[in-house]
């Protein structure tokens, strides 16, 4: 009888006890709003910002309502205006072009390589088409950040990093989120720290930080931002920056702080699971594992592989067979958006020219979540099921 996996691909671990206790304490005193503090008290939100800034190694941090809000705020804070064109990845998730659309700007898609990173030749070719790049480290894959920054610096392009999948990751030891002007993170349930919803915004630029604080809805309480720039930076900014409310509250921050303290351990646990799956599916005919560059410090909270040159029917057959054995795979090649796997040509509010080279890559991308509730044995079992079913469906070309 063939083996079946019975675990859940969407089940995260519980909130650590310390987070539950801290959340209960906030509920007991009732001061959930970040600016609602008593004398001598530092809000949980502020403490989270200080701790996250120290963790990433940046000067300023702002906690906000979501990752998407952090990205839209970053675009506004660096001066993107309605009608501007913003470069971004063709291979990413819907909130990324959505953040661009939220500020009335227009996404210009840059292609994806078979290594699942931004195509830097395509970026260089399109460098005159926008002044800002919203770079999505999609599914945790980091491109050659030195070369990316070289291209962007040479053309005066401001880089904003979408680190929804790279909290804890680095390129050549330098944290993702610190290469560009702003780093944006999500604290939604399926990311690396779980507050249900939430976002973090980091920068070393005092003016950008001040604008972001004003946008997030600080009224005039910016002096309470201990991970923010000094008050004089707000002198004129406070009059010219609209309040577009999107703050984080103390309850979420309380839940997140103990998770941040555990993050390094959790990242190591993700990687054990990632490499257990990878080892199990490597060298399967018809399936290509994505080799990770030595410069990359990964956080393997999801894994991708390529089915090169497979036809649609074969891919659908594989997905159905794996699903029947409890293994949930997602496919980025689907013509219609399904769940989170939409593609650049499903966002029809953008008039995007066809990208045949990227289409060929997207047509073969299979994606699988690797939640920490999986044991290493679960990972080995899942890999055996995938290998087995690929072996049944795949016909080697002659
Ligand atoms: C989740 C996600 C976001 C946005 O996060 P939210 O907190 O859900 O707004 C941005 N980019 C990518 C690639 C994501 O997966």
């Amino acid at each position: 009888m063939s083996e079946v996996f019975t675990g859940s691909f969407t089940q995260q671990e519980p909130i650590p006890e310390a987070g539950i206790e801290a959340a209960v304490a906030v509920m007991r005193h009732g001061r959930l709003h970040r600016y609602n503090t008593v004398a001598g008290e530092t809000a949980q939100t502020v403490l989270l910002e200080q701790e996250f800034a120290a963790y990433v190694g940046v000067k300023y941090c702002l906690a906000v309502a979501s990752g998407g809000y952090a990205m839209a705020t970053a675009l506004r804070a660096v001066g993107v205006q309605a009608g501007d064109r913003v470069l971004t990845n063709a291979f990413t998730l819907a909130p990324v072009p959505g953040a661009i659309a939220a500020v009335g700007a227009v996404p210009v898609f840059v292609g994806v390589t078979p290594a699942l990173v931004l195509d830097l030749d395509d970026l260089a070719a399109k460098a005159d088409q926008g002044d800002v790049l919203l770079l999505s480290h999609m599914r945790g894959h980091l491109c050659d950040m030195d070369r990316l920054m070289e291209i962007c610096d040479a053309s005066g392009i401001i880089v904003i990093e979408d680190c929804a999948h790279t909290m804890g990751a680095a390129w050549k030891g330098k944290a993702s989120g610190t290469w560009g002007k702003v780093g944006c993170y999500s604290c939604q349930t399926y990311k690396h720290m779980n507050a249900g919803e939430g976002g973090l915004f980091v920068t070393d630029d005092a003016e950008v930080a001040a604008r972001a604080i004003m946008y997030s809805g600080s009224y005039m309480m910016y002096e309470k931002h201990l991970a923010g720039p000094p008050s004089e930076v707000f002198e004129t900014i406070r009059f010219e920056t609209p309040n577009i409310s999107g703050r984080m509250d103390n309850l979420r921050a309380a839940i997140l702080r103990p998770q941040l303290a555990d993050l390094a351990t959790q990242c190591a646990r993700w990687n054990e699971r990632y490499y257990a799956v990878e080892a199990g599916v490597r060298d399967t005919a018809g399936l290509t594992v994505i080799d990770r560059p030595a410069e990359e410090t990964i956080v393997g909270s999801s894994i991708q592989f390529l089915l090169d040159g497979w036809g649609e029917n074969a891919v659908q057959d594989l997905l159905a067979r794996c699903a029947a054995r409890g293994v949930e795979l997602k496919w980025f090649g689907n013509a219609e958006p399904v769940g989170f796997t939409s593609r650049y040509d499903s966002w029809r509010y953008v008039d995007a020219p066809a990208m045949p080279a990227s289409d060929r890559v997207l047509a073969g991308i299979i994606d699988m979540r690797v939640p920490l509730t999986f044991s290493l044995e679960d990972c080995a079992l899942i890999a055996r099921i995938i290998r087995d079913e690929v072996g049944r469906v795949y016909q080697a070309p002659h």
Side-chain angles (χ1 to χ4, degrees):
M1 229 190 75
S2 41
E3 296 178 293
V4 172
F5 177 64
T6 55
S8 164
F9 282 79
T10 50
Q11 182 62 56
Q12 305 292 41
E13 291 188 304
I15 301 303
E17 281 307 315
I20 295 172
E21 275 169 31
V24 169
V26 170
M27 288 188 282
R28 290 228 155 90
H29 66 53
R31 293 182 295 279
L32 275 70
H33 193 282
R34 66 168 297 155
Y35 300 122
N36 182 200
T37 49
V38 292
E41 182 185 12
T42 306
Q44 290 288 322
T45 320
V46 172
L47 294 169
L48 173 67
E49 288 166 345
Q50 290 181 307
E51 289 159 4
F52 194 72
Y55 171 80
V56 176
V58 290
K59 285 193 191 144
Y60 311 117
C61 176
L62 174 67
V64 294
S66 71
Y69 183 87
M71 293 189 289
T73 303
L75 293 168
R76 290 190 178 98
V78 303
V80 173
Q81 306 274 325
D84 286 356
R85 286 148 66 91
V86 174
L87 298 156
T88 194
N89 305 55
F91 174 47
T92 185
L93 293 188
V96 179
I100 297 170
V103 303
V106 180
V108 175
F109 295 115
V110 180
V112 59
T113 73
L116 303 193
V117 295
L118 195 75
D119 180 342
L120 297 180
D121 295 330
D122 195 31
L123 175 65
K126 291 173 177 162
D128 60 347
Q129 294 187 36
D131 299 326
V132 174
L133 167 66
L134 179 51
L135 169 66
S136 186
H137 300 300
M138 178 60 174
R139 282 336 218 178
H141 297 272
L142 292 162
C143 65
D144 178 342
M145 290 303 295
D146 287 316
R147 180 156 176 242
L148 177 122
M149 291 311 300
E150 236 171 69
I151 294 168
C152 291
D153 290 345
S155 302
I157 295 172
I158 296 172
V159 178
I160 296 168
E161 295 179 72
D162 165 21
C163 304
H165 304 161
T166 55
M167 185 186 279
W171 180 262
K172 287 191 178 168
K174 183 172 161 59
S176 95
T178 65
W179 289 83
K181 185 160 288 269
V182 182
C184 302
Y185 303 79
S186 169
C187 307
Q188 194 226 82
T189 296
Y190 302 109
K191 312 301 164 82
H192 298 176
M193 296 199 294
N194 175 13
E197 301 286 356
L200 291 158
F201 173 112
V202 302
T203 184
D204 276 331
D205 185 308
E207 203 179 306
V208 166
R211 285 189 198 283
I213 289 169
M214 293 306 301
Y215 279 127
S216 76
S218 68
Y219 300 97
M220 288 295 159
M221 283 174 286
Y222 48 82
E223 283 180 350
K224 288 194 166 195
H225 283 258
L226 303 183
S231 350
E232 57 270 21
V233 183
F234 291 84
E235 207 109 301
T236 51
I237 285 170
R238 68 197 179 118
F239 297 110
E240 16 171 273
T241 314
N243 175 328
I244 305 177
S245 284
R247 296 170 301 272
M248 185 186 281
D249 58 89
N250 287 329
L251 192 53
R252 287 191 169 80
I255 292 171
L256 290 169
R257 290 180 59 219
Q259 295 182 57
L260 178 57
D262 284 349
L263 187 57
T265 310
Q266 299 295 75
C267 291
R269 293 178 62 220
W270 262 305
N271 290 349
E272 281 179 338
R273 284 156 182 75
Y274 176 96
Y275 286 115
V277 175
E278 189 197 78
V281 297
R282 201 174 260 285
D283 300 324
T284 303
L287 177 156
T288 308
V289 161
I290 312 290
D291 283 312
R292 310 301 294 255
E295 294 89 342
E296 201 183 15
T297 303
I298 77 158
V299 181
S301 54
S302 70
I303 188 164
Q304 294 69 44
F305 46 82
L306 294 175
L307 302 176
D308 284 320
W310 287 43
E312 164 156 13
N313 292 342
V315 175
Q316 297 286 22
D317 189 20
L318 177 69
L319 262 52
R321 283 164 167 278
C322 287
R325 295 178 66 181
V327 175
E328 253 181 60
L329 302 178
K330 306 289 178 189
W331 180 40
F332 277 90
N334 218 317
E336 288 285 315
V338 179
F340 67 84
T341 55
S342 58
R343 341 164 355 126
Y344 74 93
D345 49 2
S346 2
W347 307 318
R348 293 192 196 155
Y349 53 88
V350 187
D351 185 17
M355 306 177 77
S358 292
D359 289 343
R360 277 193 295 280
V361 177
L362 288 166
I365 301 178
I366 298 293
D367 178 88
M368 191 185 91
R369 282 198 176 114
V370 187
L372 289 175
T373 48
F374 288 2
S375 66
L376 296 179
E377 294 72 38
D378 290 339
C379 295
L381 168 61
I382 289 164
R384 279 199 301 280
I385 292 171
I386 295 172
R387 176 189 278 280
D388 193 24
E389 295 301 339
V390 168
R392 286 181 200 185
V393 177
Y394 180 67
Q395 310 287 327
H398 305 288

